[in-house]
Amino acid sequence: MTENLSRNILWEAINCLVVDDDKFSRTFMKTALYQIGIKNVREAVDVDEAREILADFKIDVILLDQLMPGKTGLDFARELKLHAQDKGKEIPIIMVTVDTKEKTVLDAKNIGIQEYLVKPISPSALKKRLCTAFGIKQERV
């Protein structure tokens, strides 16, 4: 019982940023995060808004769309990884996109994006990727 409690506290302590230009996708991801137990969710419609949120709030993980107007998710991830080297702290990034092109997936991996999830997502698939990104072993049910 205390193990489950500590897991719930862990999820509740996580601050997540969802970056996606599509309102439906952001709402869907936010709902999936809530089902997992992550309640602290900020939303950004583009890279500029995401930058502002990152400057003002402590974020533990980013769910990032690839296909957005202006800067792509990969462009933003590159920028974040370079900036993280300056600060010495890397925020885990999970790419959540409809883009399944091999080049995009390889580029994401080469940049250092921890996980790649293809839309439409399920809460269980998202939880699995979050566990991997945070190095949490998931129990098999």
Side-chain angles (χ1 to χ4, degrees):
M1 174 119 171
T2 46
E3 193 173 313
N4 285 340
L5 183 62
S6 66
R7 261 197 218 115
N8 290 339
I9 291 169
L10 170 72
W11 291 120
E12 288 175 5
I14 291 174
N15 296 300
C16 183
L17 172 59
V18 175
V19 185
D20 197 314
D21 60 311
D22 182 68
K23 183 174 177 45
F24 177 78
S25 291
R26 287 192 317 273
T27 301
F28 192 83
M29 282 189 272
K30 193 172 181 177
T31 301
L33 289 164
Y34 273 38
Q35 289 175 4
I36 292 166
I38 298 175
K39 310 283 192 230
N40 301 316
V41 182
R42 304 250 176 221
E43 298 176 47
V45 299
D46 59 23
V47 169
D48 292 332
E49 191 175 0
R51 270 194 217 102
E52 288 175 22
I53 291 169
L54 287 168
D56 294 339
F57 299 97
K58 177 189 173 290
I59 299 296
D60 300 305
V61 64
I62 299 170
L63 302 184
L64 181 61
D65 185 26
Q66 161 57 5
L67 304 170
M68 295 184 289
K71 264 196 173 175
T72 67
L74 287 176
D75 292 335
F76 185 51
R78 270 189 208 94
E79 177 186 310
L80 289 174
K81 295 294 180 180
L82 287 173
H83 188 65
Q85 289 173 350
D86 298 340
K87 287 187 151 188
K89 182 182 183 283
E90 230 178 82
I91 300 171
I93 299 172
I94 299 173
M95 184 71 71
V96 183
T97 184
V98 295
D99 188 344
T100 59
K101 290 189 283 275
E102 185 179 358
K103 181 182 179 349
T104 307
V105 176
L106 289 173
D107 286 348
K109 185 178 181 179
N110 290 334
I111 290 169
I113 291 174
Q114 278 76 4
E115 291 292 322
Y116 201 95
L117 195 54
V118 178
K119 292 178 186 174
I121 65 165
S122 69
S124 61
L126 179 56
K127 184 176 183 179
K128 182 178 179 182
R129 299 312 189 290
L130 285 163
C131 285
T132 303
F134 287 119
I136 299 168
K137 282 192 174 185
Q138 232 186 331
E139 287 179 6
R140 294 184 183 204
V141 181

